[in-house]
Amino acid sequence: MRRSFLLASSGFALAVSATTPAWAQEVTSGGAEAAEATPGAPIIVTGSRIRRDPLDNPSPVISLDDAALEQTGLSSVADILQRLPSAAGGLNTKVNNSGNIGNPQDGGGVGAGTAEIDLRYLLAKRTLVLVDGMRYVPATAASGIPSTIDLNSIPQSMIQRIEVLQSGQSPLYGSDAIAGVVNIITKQQQDGLQASAKYGQYLKYNDGETLDLSLSYGASGERVSVAAGIDYVDQKQVRTANRELTQFPNPGQTSCTDPIGGCSSGTLGGRIAFNPGNPSLPAGGSVTVRSFPLTTRGVYDPTLVGGDFKAFTSADRFNFAPFNLLLTPSERYGAWLSAKAELTDTINLRTRMVYNRRNSKNQAAFLPLFLGPDAGNGNLLDTVSIDVTNPYNPFGITLNSGADGNPATYSFIGRRLVENGQRTYTQKVDTWTVAATLDGRLGANFYWDVNAVLGWNDAHQLFTGNVNAAKVAQALGPVANCTGDCVPLNIFGGAGSITQDMLNFISFDERSKSDQRLQDYTANLSGDLFELPGGMVGIAVGYEHRHQSGSFTPDPIIQAGLGADIPAQAASGSYNTNEFYGELRVPLLKETPFFELLELDGAVRYADYSTGFSNTSFTGTLLWKPVPDVLLRGSYAEGFRAPALGELFGAQSRADAPIDDPCTNVAGSPWQTDTTVRQNCIANGVPSDGSYNEPNGGQLPTLTGGNSALNPETSETWLVGAVYSPDWARGGALQDLSLEVNYYDITVDGAIAAINPQVTLARCASLGDALACDNVTRTASGRIASIQGLLQNIGKIETSGYDATFNARTSEGGAGSFGLSVNANLLTKYKETLPTAGGSATVDYRGTTRGFPDQSYPKFKATSVLSWSLGGFDAAFTGRYISKVTEADGKEMNSRFYTDMQLAFTPSFMNDSFRFTVGILNLFDKDPPACFSCTGPNYDPTTYDIPGRFGYVQLNYKM
């Protein structure tokens, strides 16, 4: 029996012919599949609104069908797409950061538990995600107003195929389509029952257990077809404590006494740091409890020879690393319904309804409670004084913060609140979408459609492990003021000294929520105008009206500035836009010598936003087939991205960046080795006596938030490509052979971003750049209080590179059929230009890792797939290569080559109804390269796999 399917492994599409069970392609499909079924038939393909032969697509598109998605062994569409060489990763369930390190600089919140797609390293907000060619409601996770789509909110069993347009196309699709477009095509109909059950886990560690179940059914009548399904995914956690790489704050670290630093001053015993000149100043400047728990008022000996306190050393620091997660738990269940009704011979009604619930969780170490003028919280906790009457204060004086105008007598206190349990962030996210399309034909050559999409996204997050700053201040203040439910707090006694009664007074459950709403209405008309020597001139015109709103509401205690974790304020906003577009296809020549095809395509779009922005963008493409087997194309496209809701209206918050301060006086720091750096640091507020000597390897506070004065981004994309698909390779020994190479060059002007805080610090310390130094605020002791990181139109982003795809498959013989596919990306440029006091400066990220936020920019990535099929047996071996990158300080993260394997059997004696599959991801157990500057646990989770082999088994059934 002859069959065909799109084979993909580890997120890379192998669009080739092969042999596979018939059950894998019962769904009616378009795009490449439609071209295979009806060669030359005109259809709508991603990258154009005009019906055309999909084999002459003017844009570079990668296609994955439902069988291809299953063959990756992954249970998340985002994980699959993020492994494309043209993809840069993006947020996924390997990212554990939640409120523990603060809110990112784009005003969109943490997005904990969501999964995104980022093409060309331009961030997910510059990749447009469509469902059936229409917009989808943006994600939300109760921590901000993001502009991106959570791909995990789309049930996988409803997906027929995914088309990835690897080029900007704002003139056709509007804002956000700067890096490319991901179009998720859902099932319009299905014949009979389909079911799938998959279980997998990390084999060596017995964790990360993942259960993936789906069930769908479809039926068709003479004029009506209906398909519906349910999905369930349950992914368990992977703890950092279970992998050697992630057991300490830095790779290879085995103790907090390691000179590399990184362990926290928020310790089990507590760290009390005094200010110079304090009459109680002990040797070393800071103390900790000698033995804990100390449940009564301790004895303090200023000489530290006796008493209950000793000098604080690195050995007393807290290792928070093993309390985090490498893979976050995520439970998702959803249901979908798709229906099509042929109302007349020329008019159809299509509807789609989707519901998805996500229950996810992030986890961090026990809350580090920092108090005092050098604590860097940016809230009430920086002003707390510990009164002399507090029954646990052993120092005989009030530890004054200086907030009352008197001199400060202490710098800060850091105490890890283990009694209050680990910080957990639990999200419940509900997503609903309803879409309807009425389409039809006018005469023989024109087609029309009107569409409506309504989407809702509601998220609630529960954070446990926080404390109320006002109650902490009351419990540490004058004992006479600690009345009612107040219980005096023992901040000095170390772990175990805070009683349940104390916790009951100061702790609270933090509850936040956010929502997004989308209304999108479109109308399109396309058809043929008249005939030229190359064929019919095609036209498409359309109109879109979109209304989008979003809000973020933190817990009232947080809005009052009384939390001990990351501060946040409420934010909300909305906009609407009216847009018009037109597209023209002009086939000049056809089937003449040296001009098998010569065609010009162009499109223009005008957008008018209620926020005061308007834009007109244009694209033009030239297609030339000098001979039937070769297609050459070149295009120019203007792009446009309006500031998103979170970017415009996001309230100010804080993010803690894992970067080093060049001004600290520790061994090997620029302060000690560079006279110019020392002078610039002193000018920035660092004491000249070198008393500021905090170890590196920690986190520094950055101020983040939206900016209502932002302007839209614009972009220019140049694309030149060639496709070689010889007719002689179809039939005989070969069934398929093709080679495609594309060069792209993208420039984004007025890019909306915040200057990397590491760049800000470096420019201030090394160059004395006034603009950079103005963005760094220090306390009197020299510690950084905040680094300004608000959004602005910082300048431009420039990126360029080559994409190459090679496919080959043999015809089926006695030994079966063999296939080879290679997909690669060569990054030739990635630069960001940012403002300085003297004009601008350019940072080249190619071949580096950014560190904060996590993103690596390897010069070369490739995925190759070797496949084999014979009868009911299929096998696929995948290799994924990522070239080396370097960190900002020159440390190398070596290249990686991952290997995946899958074996499948479809027994013919069971009527091809069952398919049994086993597979292993990361077959040779390659660890990711160690990263010292990454926010993630010692590696970049947007680029590399979690350490360990992941094995899975799967059973599919079709009736």
Side-chain angles (χ1 to χ4, degrees):
M1 179 171 55
R2 303 292 297 175
R3 283 92 53 168
S4 68
F5 70 105
L6 290 176
L7 172 64
S9 189
S10 301
F12 164 55
L14 174 58
V16 296
S17 296
T19 56
T20 195
W23 59 265
Q25 52 172 10
E26 287 295 321
V27 177
T28 301
S29 59
E33 292 173 311
E36 186 175 280
T38 56
I43 61 167
I44 296 292
V45 295
T46 301
S48 176
R49 298 281 191 179
I50 299 174
R51 295 172 184 268
R52 63 174 65 238
D53 183 345
L55 299 179
D56 294 330
N57 195 337
S59 304
V61 175
I62 288 179
S63 181
L64 303 90
D65 71 355
D66 55 346
L69 300 177
E70 285 187 358
Q71 292 218 345
T72 64
L74 299 167
S75 297
S76 167
V77 172
D79 290 342
I80 296 169
L81 294 175
Q82 286 178 9
R83 291 187 175 184
L84 289 168
S86 60
L91 193 65
N92 54 48
T93 56
K94 292 181 289 184
V95 178
N96 179 51
N97 297 325
S98 195
N100 53 306
I101 69 160
N103 292 305
Q105 296 163 312
D106 63 0
V110 177
T114 63
E116 306 167 345
I117 177 61
D118 170 8
L119 296 176
R120 305 296 189 209
Y121 303 100
L122 292 174
L123 300 182
K125 63 185 179 182
R126 298 186 182 97
T127 297
L128 177 62
V129 175
L130 304 174
V131 176
D132 294 327
M134 296 178 282
R135 298 256 175 175
Y136 201 75
V137 61
T140 187
S143 62
I145 312 175
S147 61
T148 56
I149 306 301
D150 179 11
L151 294 173
N152 282 341
S153 67
I154 304 172
Q156 191 162 323
S157 71
M158 75 178 292
I159 298 175
Q160 176 181 315
R161 69 183 185 277
I162 300 175
E163 295 177 350
V164 182
L165 171 61
Q166 300 182 114
S167 179
Q169 199 55 273
S170 290
L172 282 178
Y173 298 110
S175 178
D176 308 335
I178 287 179
V181 179
V182 174
N183 191 11
I184 298 174
I185 312 298
T186 64
K187 295 178 180 178
Q188 295 292 313
Q189 64 184 61
Q190 176 178 304
D191 294 330
L193 177 71
Q194 294 184 12
S196 173
K198 179 170 63 179
Y199 174 82
Q201 67 176 49
Y202 287 92
L203 300 177
K204 179 179 178 180
Y205 304 97
N206 296 321
D207 56 10
E209 303 93 337
T210 302
L211 178 65
D212 187 349
L213 306 173
S214 67
L215 179 69
S216 60
Y217 181 80
S220 301
E222 183 177 350
R223 286 186 173 270
V224 177
S225 61
V226 178
I230 55 175
D231 287 54
Y232 178 79
V233 177
D234 187 14
Q235 172 186 282
K236 302 299 185 183
Q237 68 185 22
V238 173
R239 293 172 53 87
T240 50
N242 292 345
R243 301 294 191 274
E244 183 178 358
L245 175 66
T246 55
Q247 292 175 354
F248 276 85
N250 293 287
Q253 190 173 3
T254 58
S255 169
C256 286
T257 59
D258 192 311
I260 196 172
C263 291
S264 174
S265 291
T267 68
L268 296 178
R271 180 185 180 186
I272 305 103
F274 294 92
N275 280 344
N278 187 324
S280 298
L281 179 69
S286 60
V287 300
T288 186
V289 68
R290 193 180 300 275
S291 178
F292 51 81
L294 180 62
T295 58
T296 59
R297 186 197 302 268
V299 175
Y300 173 62
D301 177 3
T303 69
L304 303 183
V305 174
D308 293 311
F309 296 87
K310 64 174 185 174
F312 179 85
T313 68
S314 294
D316 298 307
R317 291 180 176 272
F318 179 72
N319 177 20
F320 55 84
F323 299 96
N324 293 314
L325 298 177
L326 274 169
L327 184 68
T328 60
S330 179
E331 180 190 41
R332 307 185 295 273
Y333 52 86
W336 57 273
L337 173 67
S338 181
K340 175 185 175 182
E342 298 179 9
L343 302 181
T344 70
D345 291 340
T346 59
I347 299 177
N348 304 302
L349 174 64
R350 310 170 196 268
T351 59
R352 182 188 74 241
M353 291 180 283
V354 182
Y355 168 75
N356 190 81
R357 157 63 72 90
R358 170 166 60 83
N359 300 316
S360 53
K361 184 178 76 172
N362 301 80
Q363 178 176 293
F366 315 96
L367 178 76
L369 179 60
F370 284 98
L371 309 171
D374 288 327
N377 295 291
N379 60 16
L380 178 65
L381 293 175
D382 296 346
T383 68
V384 169
S385 296
I386 299 89
D387 196 76
V388 66
T389 64
N390 177 278
Y392 304 102
N393 183 347
F395 299 109
I397 63 169
T398 293
L399 299 185
N400 198 309
S401 68
D404 60 359
N406 293 313
T409 54
Y410 82 111
S411 174
F412 73 89
I413 295 175
R415 166 70 151 83
R416 189 68 59 163
L417 297 185
V418 295
E419 297 92 341
N420 205 25
Q422 286 192 230
R423 286 170 289 172
T424 60
Y425 307 80
T426 304
Q427 303 91 28
K428 293 184 178 181
V429 184
D430 293 299
T431 305
W432 300 264
T433 60
V434 178
T437 295
L438 194 65
D439 64 69
R441 190 175 68 248
L442 292 174
N445 296 321
F446 274 86
Y447 301 85
W448 60 270
D449 61 82
V450 290
N451 312 274
V453 178
L454 303 178
W456 305 264
N457 216 329
D458 290 307
H460 293 79
Q461 177 171 270
L462 170 65
F463 167 27
T464 60
N466 206 349
V467 295
N468 185 317
K471 292 187 174 182
V472 169
Q474 183 183 1
L476 291 173
V479 70
N481 295 339
C482 188
T483 59
D485 294 334
C486 179
V487 179
L489 181 62
N490 183 0
I491 198 70
F492 304 107
S497 64
I498 296 179
T499 66
Q500 188 60 49
D501 287 341
M502 297 176 188
L503 283 178
N504 289 343
F505 179 66
I506 65 173
S507 65
F508 72 100
D509 288 342
E510 178 184 328
R511 301 179 187 275
S512 302
K513 63 181 180 179
S514 62
D515 67 80
Q516 297 246 39
R517 299 290 185 266
L518 171 70
Q519 300 177 44
D520 193 24
Y521 307 97
T522 58
N524 304 283
L525 175 68
S526 64
D528 296 332
L529 294 177
F530 53 87
E531 189 170 9
L532 290 178
M536 297 296 295
V537 173
I539 188 173
V541 294
Y543 166 75
E544 177 178 8
H545 174 81
R546 185 169 71 255
H547 178 83
Q548 192 171 320
S549 63
S551 70
F552 167 49
T553 308
D555 190 286
I557 294 177
I558 300 301
Q559 293 190 60
L562 300 179
D565 205 55
I566 299 300
Q569 292 296 319
S572 63
S574 65
Y575 71 83
N576 60 71
T577 175
N578 292 287
E579 306 182 18
F580 301 87
Y581 81 90
E583 181 185 5
L584 192 65
R585 175 170 59 92
V586 183
L588 301 174
L589 296 171
K590 182 178 181 181
E591 297 175 353
T592 62
F594 302 107
F595 293 99
E596 182 67 21
L597 172 70
L598 183 63
E599 178 178 305
L600 284 174
D601 297 290
V604 63
R605 189 182 194 95
Y606 173 77
D608 184 22
Y609 280 73
S610 61
T611 46
F613 311 127
S614 63
N615 174 264
T616 301
S617 54
F618 166 80
T619 183
T621 302
L622 173 65
L623 296 178
W624 177 34
K625 274 189 171 183
V627 293
D629 296 342
V630 176
L631 172 65
L632 305 176
R633 61 186 168 215
S635 67
Y636 167 80
E638 297 172 342
F640 166 76
R641 192 181 77 84
L645 292 174
E647 293 173 327
L648 288 171
F649 307 114
Q652 288 192 1
S653 185
R654 192 185 84 224
D656 294 333
I659 56 179
D660 293 336
D661 185 354
C663 295
T664 183
N665 182 20
V666 296
S669 71
W671 169 278
Q672 294 190 353
T673 60
D674 192 318
T675 303
T676 300
V677 167
R678 192 179 310 121
Q679 293 173 346
N680 291 333
C681 290
I682 293 171
N684 190 231
V686 176
S688 59
D689 60 3
S691 58
Y692 171 48
N693 56 4
E694 275 301 293
N696 282 320
Q699 296 173 337
L700 298 178
T702 65
L703 184 64
T704 69
N707 180 358
S708 60
L710 288 172
N711 294 313
E713 300 176 342
T714 59
S715 69
E716 292 184 336
T717 299
W718 293 91
L719 181 77
V720 179
V723 182
Y724 176 59
S725 181
D727 185 66
W728 60 262
R730 287 183 284 273
L734 283 176
Q735 192 179 53
D736 180 79
L737 178 68
S738 65
L739 173 65
E740 179 173 351
V741 179
N742 294 291
Y743 169 78
Y744 63 91
D745 188 295
I746 306 171
T747 300
V748 182
D749 288 310
I752 298 172
I755 298 174
N756 189 320
Q758 190 164 9
V759 173
T760 299
L761 282 180
R763 293 193 61 82
C764 177
S766 300
L767 303 176
D769 180 71
L771 184 59
C773 291
D774 287 344
N775 287 330
V776 179
T777 303
R778 296 181 181 271
T779 67
S781 67
R783 289 180 174 85
I784 291 177
S786 68
I787 304 171
Q788 186 87 357
L790 299 182
L791 293 174
Q792 51 188 306
N793 295 99
I794 64 170
K796 65 180 178 181
I797 303 172
E798 301 170 274
T799 184
S800 63
Y802 294 88
D803 294 320
T805 302
F806 172 79
N807 291 320
R809 174 160 289 279
T810 68
S811 298
E812 188 169 2
S817 176
F818 294 87
L820 174 65
S821 179
V822 180
N823 189 355
N825 173 264
L826 176 65
L827 183 66
T828 59
K829 179 174 61 178
Y830 191 93
K831 298 179 179 180
E832 294 186 5
T833 300
L834 52 107
T836 66
S840 63
T842 298
V843 181
D844 187 354
Y845 286 106
R846 176 177 176 261
T848 71
T849 192
R850 196 181 193 105
F852 177 79
D854 289 334
Q855 183 59 69
S856 297
Y857 303 84
K859 296 178 181 178
F860 183 72
K861 292 194 298 183
T863 301
S864 60
V865 182
L866 177 64
S867 59
W868 168 82
S869 60
L870 177 64
F873 294 92
D874 295 284
F877 296 87
T878 299
R880 294 178 284 122
Y881 177 77
I882 304 167
S883 65
K884 72 175 183 179
V885 295
T886 58
E887 299 186 65
D889 61 0
K891 293 187 180 72
E892 283 196 357
M893 297 166 56
N894 291 329
S895 62
R896 282 296 181 269
F897 187 84
Y898 293 109
T899 304
D900 304 329
M901 177 193 72
Q902 186 184 85
L903 303 173
F905 175 54
T906 307
S908 58
F909 60 83
M910 303 179 75
N911 297 320
D912 290 341
S913 294
F914 289 90
R915 181 177 176 88
F916 304 90
T917 305
V918 297
I920 297 178
L921 308 180
N922 193 10
L923 179 64
F924 297 110
D925 197 15
K926 293 288 186 180
D927 284 346
C931 178
F932 290 81
S933 59
C934 290
T935 310
N938 298 338
Y939 86 109
D940 176 5
T942 69
T943 306
Y944 304 98
D945 290 5
I946 290 174
R949 296 184 184 90
F950 186 87
Y952 63 91
V953 295
Q954 183 171 350
L955 172 64
N956 291 80
Y957 171 74
K958 178 192 179 300
M959 181 178 68

